mmCIF file of all heavy atoms in Angstrom:
data_model
loop_
_atom_site.group_PDB
_atom_site.id
_atom_site.type_symbol
_atom_site.label_atom_id
_atom_site.label_comp_id
_atom_site.label_asym_id
_atom_site.label_seq_id
_atom_site.Cartn_x
_atom_site.Cartn_y
_atom_site.Cartn_z
ATOM 1 N N GLN R 1 -10.945 8.082 -30.882
ATOM 2 C CA GLN R 1 -10.053 9.012 -31.572
ATOM 3 C C GLN R 1 -8.764 8.267 -31.912
ATOM 4 O O GLN R 1 -8.268 7.452 -31.120
ATOM 5 C CB GLN R 1 -9.732 10.212 -30.718
ATOM 6 C CG GLN R 1 -8.805 11.209 -31.402
ATOM 7 C CD GLN R 1 -8.533 12.449 -30.564
ATOM 8 O OE1 GLN R 1 -7.419 12.956 -30.543
ATOM 9 N NE2 GLN R 1 -9.540 12.949 -29.832
ATOM 10 N N THR R 2 -8.231 8.536 -33.105
ATOM 11 C CA THR R 2 -6.926 7.965 -33.498
ATOM 12 C C THR R 2 -5.808 8.835 -32.915
ATOM 13 O O THR R 2 -5.882 10.055 -32.972
ATOM 14 C CB THR R 2 -6.801 7.925 -35.034
ATOM 15 O OG1 THR R 2 -7.848 7.096 -35.558
ATOM 16 C CG2 THR R 2 -5.455 7.372 -35.454
ATOM 17 N N MET R 3 -4.797 8.194 -32.382
ATOM 18 C CA MET R 3 -3.657 8.945 -31.815
ATOM 19 C C MET R 3 -2.396 8.132 -31.952
ATOM 20 O O MET R 3 -2.412 6.914 -32.065
ATOM 21 C CB MET R 3 -3.924 9.326 -30.372
ATOM 22 C CG MET R 3 -4.104 8.151 -29.424
ATOM 23 S SD MET R 3 -4.511 8.647 -27.717
ATOM 24 C CE MET R 3 -3.007 9.484 -27.240
ATOM 25 N N THR R 4 -1.260 8.828 -31.953
ATOM 26 C CA THR R 4 0.060 8.194 -32.040
ATOM 27 C C THR R 4 0.777 8.388 -30.720
ATOM 28 O O THR R 4 0.833 9.509 -30.198
ATOM 29 C CB THR R 4 0.877 8.817 -33.172
ATOM 30 O OG1 THR R 4 0.195 8.612 -34.422
ATOM 31 C CG2 THR R 4 2.245 8.173 -33.275
ATOM 32 N N VAL R 5 1.315 7.312 -30.171
ATOM 33 C CA VAL R 5 1.971 7.345 -28.868
ATOM 34 C C VAL R 5 3.305 6.638 -28.951
ATOM 35 O O VAL R 5 3.591 5.882 -29.874
ATOM 36 C CB VAL R 5 1.095 6.724 -27.784
ATOM 37 C CG1 VAL R 5 -0.216 7.453 -27.654
ATOM 38 C CG2 VAL R 5 0.875 5.240 -28.062
ATOM 39 N N THR R 6 4.114 6.873 -27.941
ATOM 40 C CA THR R 6 5.376 6.176 -27.752
ATOM 41 C C THR R 6 5.263 5.322 -26.504
ATOM 42 O O THR R 6 4.642 5.756 -25.494
ATOM 43 C CB THR R 6 6.526 7.189 -27.595
ATOM 44 O OG1 THR R 6 6.610 7.996 -28.769
ATOM 45 C CG2 THR R 6 7.851 6.490 -27.343
ATOM 46 N N ALA R 7 5.817 4.128 -26.535
ATOM 47 C CA ALA R 7 5.801 3.252 -25.376
ATOM 48 C C ALA R 7 6.321 4.003 -24.139
ATOM 49 O O ALA R 7 7.363 4.662 -24.199
ATOM 50 C CB ALA R 7 6.643 2.001 -25.615
ATOM 51 N N GLY R 8 5.594 3.949 -23.061
ATOM 52 C CA GLY R 8 5.948 4.665 -21.844
ATOM 53 C C GLY R 8 5.132 5.927 -21.656
ATOM 54 O O GLY R 8 5.082 6.458 -20.531
ATOM 55 N N ASN R 9 4.534 6.462 -22.733
ATOM 56 C CA ASN R 9 3.618 7.599 -22.563
ATOM 57 C C ASN R 9 2.482 7.212 -21.632
ATOM 58 O O ASN R 9 2.042 6.047 -21.587
ATOM 59 C CB ASN R 9 3.020 8.027 -23.901
ATOM 60 C CG ASN R 9 3.976 8.820 -24.769
ATOM 61 O OD1 ASN R 9 3.649 9.090 -25.919
ATOM 62 N ND2 ASN R 9 5.141 9.218 -24.271
ATOM 63 N N THR R 10 1.963 8.180 -20.907
ATOM 64 C CA THR R 10 0.806 7.903 -20.048
ATOM 65 C C THR R 10 -0.368 8.747 -20.484
ATOM 66 O O THR R 10 -0.223 9.847 -21.008
ATOM 67 C CB THR R 10 1.135 8.217 -18.573
ATOM 68 O OG1 THR R 10 1.521 9.599 -18.452
ATOM 69 C CG2 THR R 10 2.242 7.315 -18.055
ATOM 70 N N LEU R 11 -1.540 8.193 -20.285
ATOM 71 C CA LEU R 11 -2.796 8.893 -20.544
ATOM 72 C C LEU R 11 -3.550 8.989 -19.228
ATOM 73 O O LEU R 11 -3.877 7.979 -18.600
ATOM 74 C CB LEU R 11 -3.643 8.130 -21.565
ATOM 75 C CG LEU R 11 -5.057 8.696 -21.857
ATOM 76 C CD1 LEU R 11 -4.939 10.090 -22.445
ATOM 77 C CD2 LEU R 11 -5.820 7.765 -22.779
ATOM 78 N N THR R 12 -3.782 10.199 -18.787
ATOM 79 C CA THR R 12 -4.485 10.437 -17.536
ATOM 80 C C THR R 12 -5.948 10.750 -17.828
ATOM 81 O O THR R 12 -6.255 11.621 -18.619
ATOM 82 C CB THR R 12 -3.852 11.594 -16.736
ATOM 83 O OG1 THR R 12 -2.493 11.260 -16.445
ATOM 84 C CG2 THR R 12 -4.608 11.864 -15.443
ATOM 85 N N ILE R 13 -6.844 10.004 -17.175
ATOM 86 C CA ILE R 13 -8.281 10.118 -17.412
ATOM 87 C C ILE R 13 -8.977 10.455 -16.108
ATOM 88 O O ILE R 13 -8.829 9.735 -15.100
ATOM 89 C CB ILE R 13 -8.840 8.788 -17.949
ATOM 90 C CG1 ILE R 13 -8.105 8.356 -19.215
ATOM 91 C CG2 ILE R 13 -10.333 8.871 -18.191
ATOM 92 C CD1 ILE R 13 -8.263 6.874 -19.528
ATOM 93 N N ARG R 14 -9.730 11.519 -16.084
ATOM 94 C CA ARG R 14 -10.558 11.862 -14.927
ATOM 95 C C ARG R 14 -12.006 11.561 -15.287
ATOM 96 O O ARG R 14 -12.507 12.034 -16.297
ATOM 97 C CB ARG R 14 -10.394 13.340 -14.570
ATOM 98 C CG ARG R 14 -11.187 13.779 -13.351
ATOM 99 C CD ARG R 14 -10.998 15.256 -13.098
ATOM 100 N NE ARG R 14 -9.642 15.549 -12.662
ATOM 101 C CZ ARG R 14 -9.055 16.723 -12.828
ATOM 102 N NH1 ARG R 14 -9.665 17.680 -13.484
ATOM 103 N NH2 ARG R 14 -7.839 16.928 -12.359
ATOM 104 N N TYR R 15 -12.674 10.773 -14.480
ATOM 105 C CA TYR R 15 -14.016 10.315 -14.826
ATOM 106 C C TYR R 15 -14.905 10.271 -13.582
ATOM 107 O O TYR R 15 -14.442 10.174 -12.445
ATOM 108 C CB TYR R 15 -13.970 8.942 -15.493
ATOM 109 C CG TYR R 15 -13.500 7.839 -14.559
ATOM 110 C CD1 TYR R 15 -14.441 7.082 -13.868
ATOM 111 C CD2 TYR R 15 -12.147 7.584 -14.359
ATOM 112 C CE1 TYR R 15 -14.013 6.093 -12.982
ATOM 113 C CE2 TYR R 15 -11.731 6.617 -13.489
ATOM 114 C CZ TYR R 15 -12.661 5.851 -12.805
ATOM 115 O OH TYR R 15 -12.250 4.882 -11.928
ATOM 116 N N ASN R 16 -16.212 10.309 -13.847
ATOM 117 C CA ASN R 16 -17.228 10.234 -12.806
ATOM 118 C C ASN R 16 -18.364 9.358 -13.345
ATOM 119 O O ASN R 16 -19.012 9.724 -14.327
ATOM 120 C CB ASN R 16 -17.733 11.631 -12.439
ATOM 121 C CG ASN R 16 -18.773 11.620 -11.316
ATOM 122 O OD1 ASN R 16 -19.086 10.598 -10.735
ATOM 123 N ND2 ASN R 16 -19.290 12.810 -11.007
ATOM 124 N N PHE R 17 -18.574 8.188 -12.743
ATOM 125 C CA PHE R 17 -19.621 7.272 -13.168
ATOM 126 C C PHE R 17 -20.879 7.534 -12.367
ATOM 127 O O PHE R 17 -20.870 7.568 -11.123
ATOM 128 C CB PHE R 17 -19.152 5.831 -12.966
ATOM 129 C CG PHE R 17 -20.158 4.779 -13.330
ATOM 130 C CD1 PHE R 17 -20.598 4.637 -14.644
ATOM 131 C CD2 PHE R 17 -20.673 3.927 -12.355
ATOM 132 C CE1 PHE R 17 -21.523 3.658 -14.986
ATOM 133 C CE2 PHE R 17 -21.598 2.942 -12.689
ATOM 134 C CZ PHE R 17 -22.022 2.812 -14.025
ATOM 135 N N LEU R 18 -21.990 7.757 -13.065
ATOM 136 C CA LEU R 18 -23.277 8.043 -12.445
ATOM 137 C C LEU R 18 -24.280 6.960 -12.810
ATOM 138 O O LEU R 18 -24.266 6.447 -13.946
ATOM 139 C CB LEU R 18 -23.811 9.386 -12.897
ATOM 140 C CG LEU R 18 -22.860 10.591 -12.780
ATOM 141 C CD1 LEU R 18 -22.160 10.847 -14.097
ATOM 142 C CD2 LEU R 18 -23.629 11.821 -12.349
ATOM 143 N N THR R 19 -25.177 6.621 -11.885
ATOM 144 C CA THR R 19 -26.123 5.549 -12.199
ATOM 145 C C THR R 19 -27.397 5.673 -11.392
ATOM 146 O O THR R 19 -27.422 6.314 -10.328
ATOM 147 C CB THR R 19 -25.491 4.160 -11.922
ATOM 148 O OG1 THR R 19 -26.375 3.129 -12.392
ATOM 149 C CG2 THR R 19 -25.165 3.962 -10.459
ATOM 150 N N ASN R 20 -28.451 5.078 -11.927
ATOM 151 C CA ASN R 20 -29.698 4.916 -11.185
ATOM 152 C C ASN R 20 -29.890 3.472 -10.741
ATOM 153 O O ASN R 20 -30.918 3.132 -10.154
ATOM 154 C CB ASN R 20 -30.891 5.346 -12.057
ATOM 155 C CG ASN R 20 -31.002 6.842 -12.145
ATOM 156 O OD1 ASN R 20 -30.827 7.547 -11.152
ATOM 157 N ND2 ASN R 20 -31.285 7.350 -13.332
ATOM 158 N N GLU R 21 -28.899 2.621 -11.008
ATOM 159 C CA GLU R 21 -28.930 1.257 -10.522
ATOM 160 C C GLU R 21 -28.589 1.219 -9.035
ATOM 161 O O GLU R 21 -27.946 2.125 -8.499
ATOM 162 C CB GLU R 21 -27.939 0.374 -11.288
ATOM 163 C CG GLU R 21 -28.188 0.261 -12.788
ATOM 164 C CD GLU R 21 -29.315 -0.714 -13.123
ATOM 165 O OE1 GLU R 21 -29.979 -1.234 -12.190
ATOM 166 O OE2 GLU R 21 -29.516 -0.937 -14.329
ATOM 167 N N VAL R 22 -29.013 0.152 -8.356
ATOM 168 C CA VAL R 22 -28.611 -0.065 -6.967
ATOM 169 C C VAL R 22 -27.111 -0.321 -6.929
ATOM 170 O O VAL R 22 -26.537 -0.885 -7.854
ATOM 171 C CB VAL R 22 -29.383 -1.276 -6.392
ATOM 172 C CG1 VAL R 22 -28.913 -1.619 -4.982
ATOM 173 C CG2 VAL R 22 -30.885 -0.998 -6.418
ATOM 174 N N ASN R 23 -26.450 0.070 -5.850
ATOM 175 C CA ASN R 23 -25.001 -0.137 -5.700
ATOM 176 C C ASN R 23 -24.746 -1.127 -4.554
ATOM 177 O O ASN R 23 -25.083 -0.820 -3.412
ATOM 178 C CB ASN R 23 -24.281 1.165 -5.366
ATOM 179 C CG ASN R 23 -24.750 2.343 -6.168
ATOM 180 O OD1 ASN R 23 -25.049 3.350 -5.585
ATOM 181 N ND2 ASN R 23 -24.834 2.209 -7.465
ATOM 182 N N PRO R 24 -24.160 -2.305 -4.832
ATOM 183 C CA PRO R 24 -23.909 -2.846 -6.159
ATOM 184 C C PRO R 24 -25.140 -3.572 -6.675
ATOM 185 O O PRO R 24 -26.058 -3.878 -5.926
ATOM 186 C CB PRO R 24 -22.766 -3.835 -5.917
ATOM 187 C CG PRO R 24 -23.018 -4.323 -4.513
ATOM 188 C CD PRO R 24 -23.581 -3.145 -3.755
ATOM 189 N N ASN R 25 -25.136 -3.869 -7.981
ATOM 190 C CA ASN R 25 -26.239 -4.604 -8.576
ATOM 191 C C ASN R 25 -25.627 -5.614 -9.559
ATOM 192 O O ASN R 25 -25.398 -5.301 -10.735
ATOM 193 C CB ASN R 25 -27.195 -3.655 -9.314
ATOM 194 C CG ASN R 25 -28.468 -4.341 -9.740
ATOM 195 O OD1 ASN R 25 -28.520 -5.555 -9.887
ATOM 196 N ND2 ASN R 25 -29.517 -3.537 -9.936
ATOM 197 N N LEU R 26 -25.352 -6.783 -9.073
ATOM 198 C CA LEU R 26 -24.663 -7.795 -9.888
ATOM 199 C C LEU R 26 -25.485 -8.278 -11.066
ATOM 200 O O LEU R 26 -24.938 -8.716 -12.058
ATOM 201 C CB LEU R 26 -24.248 -8.987 -8.994
ATOM 202 C CG LEU R 26 -23.307 -8.659 -7.834
ATOM 203 C CD1 LEU R 26 -22.932 -9.914 -7.086
ATOM 204 C CD2 LEU R 26 -22.065 -7.948 -8.332
ATOM 205 N N GLY R 27 -26.809 -8.166 -10.969
ATOM 206 C CA GLY R 27 -27.665 -8.603 -12.051
ATOM 207 C C GLY R 27 -27.805 -7.582 -13.165
ATOM 208 O O GLY R 27 -28.103 -7.942 -14.311
ATOM 209 N N PHE R 28 -27.625 -6.309 -12.845
ATOM 210 C CA PHE R 28 -27.742 -5.225 -13.806
ATOM 211 C C PHE R 28 -26.566 -4.269 -13.602
ATOM 212 O O PHE R 28 -26.738 -3.115 -13.235
ATOM 213 C CB PHE R 28 -29.087 -4.494 -13.639
ATOM 214 C CG PHE R 28 -30.272 -5.421 -13.713
ATOM 215 C CD1 PHE R 28 -30.926 -5.842 -12.574
ATOM 216 C CD2 PHE R 28 -30.712 -5.888 -14.946
ATOM 217 C CE1 PHE R 28 -32.013 -6.698 -12.642
ATOM 218 C CE2 PHE R 28 -31.802 -6.745 -15.041
ATOM 219 C CZ PHE R 28 -32.440 -7.164 -13.881
ATOM 220 N N ASN R 29 -25.382 -4.806 -13.862
ATOM 221 C CA ASN R 29 -24.134 -4.148 -13.475
ATOM 222 C C ASN R 29 -23.600 -3.238 -14.592
ATOM 223 O O ASN R 29 -22.546 -3.520 -15.201
ATOM 224 C CB ASN R 29 -23.093 -5.196 -13.074
ATOM 225 C CG ASN R 29 -21.965 -4.619 -12.248
ATOM 226 O OD1 ASN R 29 -22.039 -3.500 -11.772
ATOM 227 N ND2 ASN R 29 -20.907 -5.374 -12.119
ATOM 228 N N ASP R 30 -24.314 -2.146 -14.860
ATOM 229 C CA ASP R 30 -23.872 -1.177 -15.864
ATOM 230 C C ASP R 30 -22.430 -0.771 -15.595
ATOM 231 O O ASP R 30 -21.994 -0.678 -14.442
ATOM 232 C CB ASP R 30 -24.751 0.075 -15.851
ATOM 233 C CG ASP R 30 -26.195 -0.212 -16.163
ATOM 234 O OD1 ASP R 30 -26.524 -1.376 -16.501
ATOM 235 O OD2 ASP R 30 -27.027 0.737 -16.068
ATOM 236 N N ASN R 31 -21.684 -0.463 -16.672
ATOM 237 C CA ASN R 31 -20.299 -0.028 -16.447
ATOM 238 C C ASN R 31 -19.817 0.895 -17.556
ATOM 239 O O ASN R 31 -20.411 0.976 -18.634
ATOM 240 C CB ASN R 31 -19.350 -1.217 -16.329
ATOM 241 C CG ASN R 31 -19.014 -1.867 -17.659
ATOM 242 O OD1 ASN R 31 -19.880 -2.362 -18.366
ATOM 243 N ND2 ASN R 31 -17.719 -1.864 -17.996
#
């Protein structure tokens, strides 16, 4: 998305990463 910001503005992101890979899996390290 395009957005206009001012230096010092903050963007707060709440996220949840889900996977069927082994944790950790350095060879198949989805992100």
Side-chain angles (χ1 to χ4, degrees):
Q1 181 177 142
T2 299
M3 62 184 294
T4 299
V5 299
T6 300
N9 283 172
T10 59
L11 175 62
T12 299
I13 303 161
R14 182 181 291 154
Y15 66 94
N16 182 3
F17 178 64
L18 308 97
T19 187
N20 284 318
E21 298 283 5
V22 175
N23 318 129
N25 191 337
L26 299 182
F28 305 102
N29 198 13
D30 299 354
N31 77 298

